[in-house]
Amino acid sequence: GINAEYGKQWYQRRVREAVVSTQSTGPEVHWDLSSRRILTMEYAEGVNLVDVPQLKSAGFDLGDIMRKLVRVFGEQVFNTGHVHSDPHPGNILVRKDQNGKTEVVLIDHGLYERLSPTLRQAFAAFWHSVIIEDDETVQRSGQEMGLAHPDIFATILFFKAYGKMKKYGFGGGSHRVPSDLSEEERKEMEEVRSMGHEMFNSLPKQLGLVIRNIRLTQGINLSFGIPVNRTRLMAEIAVKYSHRDTDLWTSIKQRMKFEWHFLYLDVRNRLLEWAAWVYSLWTRNQTKDGDRTDLTQAVAFLRA
């Protein structure tokens, strides 16, 4: 109940302050009808995000819904630190407000995570710095979060090899079975496995549910047909709260790196889509029906 009330009041306040230009809300809590064992809340009406065909037939813009969702969750992760940690499609409704604009309604506020100011600022700096490849800040903010091997966390978070992980061939290159690896390569793979265990053991438990939020949002974007660049929207919010103290020229260079990163990803994803399409054509007559490997789903997951 407290989570739901906090969220509703925060949305209303931030919209009034024009910090978030999005229509988002949560159900009102009826405290006079609630007790320690019973929580009574407003009945929220709307179309569930599970029902994509109904959303389309009702005239909702899926891109508009995703932009609102990502901005709300980005503000939670990088600003308030009060993060809804179970935003699966069944816990999100959309409806039209009194002005006819799309309103996102978050329900089921039982699972939340709270991030300290230090942790969320470090995470914002980490997210931004990985994108502009500012390795010094990546390592520093990773250490501030208590992470061992920030390069591995960056690789897992963005599905793109970062830093020392490029050395091990992650994110590209040839893919061989273990029996084809040299002794040195086997040692490197064992080193990566060991570093991965150390990284996961060092991961702050608060970030576990935050990553759940991020992956569920990614899944919604995927189910919608990827109408928005989710990573970019999150990055733009992270920039606001990373509190980087830079001069004008450094800011310009960082912005150029920022734009280059997403241009590179866009070109890469389009090439991957083309390659997956060519592969599907090539295998159509090479294998039996139903036995083909569908790479388009994997490419779509990377884009989402």
Side-chain angles (χ1 to χ4, degrees):
I2 293 173
N3 289 333
E5 189 170 73
Y6 176 89
K8 187 179 182 70
Q9 292 174 353
W10 178 81
Y11 302 140
Q12 293 171 345
R13 185 177 71 252
R14 301 298 273 182
V15 169
R16 285 197 305 270
E17 295 170 351
V19 176
V20 288
S21 57
T22 181
Q23 290 72 39
S24 304
T25 188
E28 183 178 350
V29 180
H30 297 288
W31 292 109
D32 57 327
L33 299 176
S34 301
S35 66
R36 293 186 63 182
R37 296 191 176 186
I38 299 175
L39 177 63
T40 307
M41 306 178 74
E42 166 197 6
Y43 178 74
E45 296 190 51
V47 182
N48 199 287
L49 294 199
V50 174
D51 196 347
V52 176
Q54 178 62 25
L55 290 171
K56 292 180 178 179
S57 64
F60 288 104
D61 181 342
L62 300 185
D64 182 42
I65 294 172
M66 274 310 305
R67 279 186 288 272
K68 287 181 165 76
L69 275 180
V70 174
R71 284 168 181 157
V72 167
F73 292 143
E75 288 280 339
Q76 289 184 351
V77 171
F78 298 127
N79 179 25
T80 71
H82 197 74
V83 185
H84 192 307
S85 301
D86 197 21
H88 62 75
N91 281 342
I92 305 170
L93 307 173
V94 291
R95 63 192 183 193
K96 297 293 184 179
D97 65 12
Q98 59 185 2
N99 297 317
K101 295 183 178 181
T102 299
E103 183 176 57
V104 175
V105 185
L106 300 182
I107 60 177
D108 191 358
H109 296 262
L111 184 62
Y112 263 69
E113 187 56 85
R114 291 170 176 80
L115 305 182
S116 68
T118 299
L119 181 57
R120 64 177 181 260
Q121 182 175 327
F123 191 36
F126 183 85
W127 192 291
H128 181 206
S129 299
V130 170
I131 288 172
I132 64 175
E133 296 188 344
D134 177 1
D135 190 60
E136 181 181 348
T137 305
V138 167
Q139 302 304 323
R140 184 177 69 249
S141 57
Q143 292 173 1
E144 290 172 356
M145 290 188 287
L147 287 174
H149 312 296
D151 293 9
I152 295 181
F153 183 60
T155 300
I156 293 172
L157 192 62
F158 291 95
F159 298 108
K160 177 177 178 291
Y162 180 83
K164 68 176 71 172
M165 299 309 293
K166 294 178 182 178
K167 167 186 136 180
Y168 296 109
F170 284 79
S174 60
H175 300 278
R176 293 173 292 165
V177 296
S179 58
D180 293 336
L181 298 177
S182 67
E183 185 64 28
E184 181 180 355
E185 288 171 328
R186 288 197 189 96
K187 289 181 180 179
E188 287 183 346
M189 293 304 295
E190 181 61 29
E191 182 182 357
V192 170
R193 188 180 70 84
S194 176
M195 290 190 301
H197 282 299
E198 292 174 2
M199 190 281 293
F200 279 111
N201 288 335
S202 69
L203 188 69
K205 63 182 182 64
Q206 296 94 329
L207 284 184
L209 288 177
V210 170
I211 293 172
R212 173 183 169 82
N213 173 294
I214 291 170
R215 290 291 170 248
L216 286 171
T217 308
Q218 179 185 20
I220 295 172
N221 196 32
L222 184 61
S223 71
F224 279 7
I226 320 174
V228 302
N229 189 326
R230 177 191 58 87
T231 306
R232 182 184 183 115
L233 289 175
M234 286 287 286
E236 289 174 347
I237 298 169
V239 169
K240 287 199 303 183
Y241 300 110
S242 60
H243 300 292
R244 302 173 67 89
D245 185 15
T246 56
D247 56 55
L248 178 60
W249 175 237
T250 302
S251 298
I252 292 173
K253 289 193 294 184
Q254 290 177 355
R255 188 67 195 188
M256 291 173 64
K257 286 184 178 180
F258 185 92
E259 296 296 338
W260 169 253
H261 172 84
F262 287 106
L263 175 62
Y264 162 79
L265 287 184
D266 185 55
V267 173
R268 183 201 69 172
N269 291 335
R270 291 179 185 278
L271 288 174
L272 285 173
E273 287 175 340
W274 178 81
W277 177 75
V278 171
Y279 178 81
S280 67
L281 289 180
W282 181 78
T283 58
R284 182 171 298 170
N285 298 320
Q286 302 294 323
T287 58
K288 296 179 180 179
D289 289 342
D291 293 338
R292 297 194 305 271
T293 300
D294 187 1
L295 297 180
T296 57
Q297 294 182 0
V299 174
F301 182 78
L302 289 175
R303 287 183 55 217

